[in-house]
Each structure stands twice: as C-alpha cells, then as structure tokens.
Amino acid sequence: QVQLVESGGELVQPGGFLRLSCVASGIDFSRRSMGWYRQAPGKERTLVARITSTDVPYYAHLMEGRFAISRDNTKNTAYLNLNDAKPEDTGVYYCNDPFDIQSWGQGTQVTVSS
C-alpha cells in the first residue's frame, strides 16, 4: 500500500524559510521521480518542482530560485525548501510521482502571513 506523508508546513512570515518533507512507503522510491505540488486556496493543485531518480531537479515557471527540491533515497524522503516566502506561496503542499500518480497524502499547510 502506497503512503505519502507530508510534513513541515506552518505559519511563516514573509521572507521566512521552510523545509517540507515527504516520506514515501510502499513504492520503490529510489527508482521514481518525485514532485511537490501546491494547491492554493480556491485553485487547482499545480506542480512546483520535481526531481528525477538521478537527482536532477526541474522547476515550474518562476519557481526556481526560491524553491529547492532534493531527495534522500536512504530515507525514502523528498524535501522542498522554500526561501524568501511570499504570501502567494500559501497553500497545501503535496508530494507524488508526477509520471505515475499515486494516492495523494493529506498534504501539509503552508501559510505565509505577517
């Protein structure tokens, strides 16, 4: 049974930093690409960044620079660093394999506000 568990979201002030984590189980994590998605209030879920099984990162338009995706295959974990947080980064963040979507986890809430 596939399980994706996101964590690390919280209330952060504009300009702040967050590190999100996604622990995967029930899949061959090291062989899969992993992506981070964001669902802003009232909007559809969209891909923020993805990382290949060989550690090559890709970012959605305008996401590179403030977001950094990484992975640790020894821990079956993907990470998303958010630097210089902005209010428009607010939303629920999810992880998944962008090329073979699995059951979605509960996500982790990020709120950027002063």
Side-chain angles (χ1 to χ4, degrees):
Q1 181 181 353
V2 177
Q3 194 171 20
L4 300 168
V5 180
E6 302 91 350
S7 63
E10 61 183 44
L11 173 63
V12 61
Q13 291 191 344
F17 169 85
L18 275 179
R19 189 180 207 199
L20 308 182
S21 299
C22 163
V23 179
S25 59
I27 59 173
D28 191 350
F29 181 83
S30 65
R31 292 177 177 267
R32 290 177 176 265
S33 290
M34 290 300 296
W36 279 97
Y37 297 76
R38 177 174 71 201
Q39 187 163 20
K43 296 189 177 181
E44 293 186 353
R45 185 158 40 203
T46 58
L47 183 67
V48 173
R50 62 179 176 89
I51 186 166
T52 70
S53 59
T54 54
D55 254 352
V56 179
Y58 295 90
Y59 297 92
H61 183 53
L62 299 180
M63 297 297 181
E64 189 166 12
R66 295 192 303 110
F67 289 93
I69 189 171
S70 61
R71 66 190 297 158
D72 183 342
N73 289 340
T74 68
K75 298 180 179 179
N76 278 11
T77 301
Y79 302 99
L80 185 70
N81 287 354
L82 168 58
N83 298 284
D84 187 23
K86 299 182 182 302
E88 54 263 39
D89 296 324
T90 294
V92 182
Y93 286 71
Y94 302 86
C95 65
N96 215 313
D97 179 346
F99 299 107
D100 184 18
I101 295 293
Q102 306 297 309
S103 297
W104 294 95
Q106 301 234 338
T108 187
Q109 174 71 48
V110 172
T111 303
V112 184
S113 175
S114 55

